[in-house]
Amino acid sequence: MYKNMALLIACIVAVVSLTFYFDHQKSPQQRIEQQENLARDYGQVVPDVPIYTLDNKTRHLREFAGKPIILHFWATYCPPCLAELKSLFALADNTANDLAVIAISVDTDVQTVDSFLKKIWSESLPENVIVAIDPGKDISVGVFQTIKLPETIIIDSQLVMRDKIAGAYPDWTDAAMRGKLDTYISGAG
């Protein structure tokens, strides 16, 4: 039992260390430049990137035009992602016809992601939730310059980037977030 506990602790330390290492590979100047580049994208139409779903289908962002999109980047090894995914799925469940939630994992293994989802959400996922995988980080880092997980991009119904939230948002169903999203759902944002 102690061996298992020691192994678990060693794995946790390794994951935290690797996360810290990869998060700090870029110089502060590179991080500033990356944020400045992304800031120029606010108010611009997002690229129509291919999204690779867990059931081996290719979708595109343009398919979701006409309703706001919550584009969420996460990973199974990210503790804050767990609570946030549950909150996002609850939001999607309450807004089935109004918006799309695209949850893109940067994990490399579809089975790991699928097993993780079954543990955190016992019901079938809401119809307006698409779960995808980005193992090479081509979309998360390459297109949207995701710096740390979780990270969320809010896209309006015209496929224009409106907001980027770095880190976990505590409750996607709270009044403040619903008010913000309602402006995009109504087309006023």
Side-chain angles (χ1 to χ4, degrees):
M1 174 144 155
Y2 291 111
K3 280 186 178 181
N4 289 340
M5 186 63 87
L7 182 59
L8 178 62
I9 291 171
C11 287
I12 292 170
V13 168
V15 167
V16 169
S17 298
L18 286 172
T19 302
F20 182 79
Y21 171 77
F22 287 118
D23 195 36
H24 291 87
Q25 272 187 314
K26 295 181 180 174
S27 71
Q29 183 59 37
Q30 287 173 314
R31 289 185 194 155
I32 291 168
E33 288 170 6
Q34 192 173 37
Q35 286 297 338
E36 288 172 352
N37 289 339
L38 184 62
R40 283 182 281 212
D41 292 339
Y42 284 83
Q44 301 296 314
V45 174
V46 296
D48 185 30
V49 295
I51 298 163
Y52 305 103
T53 65
L54 294 183
D55 57 354
N56 208 21
K57 293 180 181 170
T58 302
R59 308 283 303 265
H60 288 84
L61 283 178
R62 71 173 174 267
E63 294 176 45
F64 304 96
K67 62 173 68 175
I69 301 167
I70 296 175
L71 184 62
H72 182 71
F73 298 104
W74 64 285
T76 60
Y77 55 82
C78 163
C81 297
L82 170 68
E84 189 168 34
L85 274 176
K86 288 180 182 180
S87 179
L88 276 169
F89 293 165
L91 171 71
D93 209 20
N94 294 327
T95 56
N97 297 320
D98 297 329
L99 62 85
V101 174
I102 303 173
I104 301 179
S105 172
V106 297
D107 287 281
T108 58
D109 180 54
V110 171
Q111 293 299 337
T112 301
V113 174
D114 195 42
S115 296
F116 179 81
L117 290 173
K118 287 176 181 163
K119 287 178 188 170
I120 67 161
W121 193 261
S122 59
E123 309 160 30
S124 61
L125 290 174
E127 289 184 27
N128 57 333
V129 171
I130 303 294
V131 179
I133 193 164
D134 182 26
K137 299 183 181 175
D138 299 324
I139 299 168
S140 57
V141 176
V143 176
F144 291 101
Q145 293 104 33
T146 298
I147 295 171
K148 70 181 218 176
L149 299 173
E151 198 158 283
T152 307
I153 312 259
I154 299 176
I155 302 167
D156 73 13
S157 60
Q158 305 301 309
L159 300 179
V160 173
M161 181 190 292
R162 294 298 176 188
D163 200 357
K164 183 172 185 176
I165 301 168
Y169 189 83
D171 183 4
W172 283 87
T173 62
D174 73 14
M177 182 54 74
R178 281 307 308 258
K180 178 183 254 188
L181 293 173
D182 284 345
T183 62
Y184 299 127
I185 289 169
S186 69

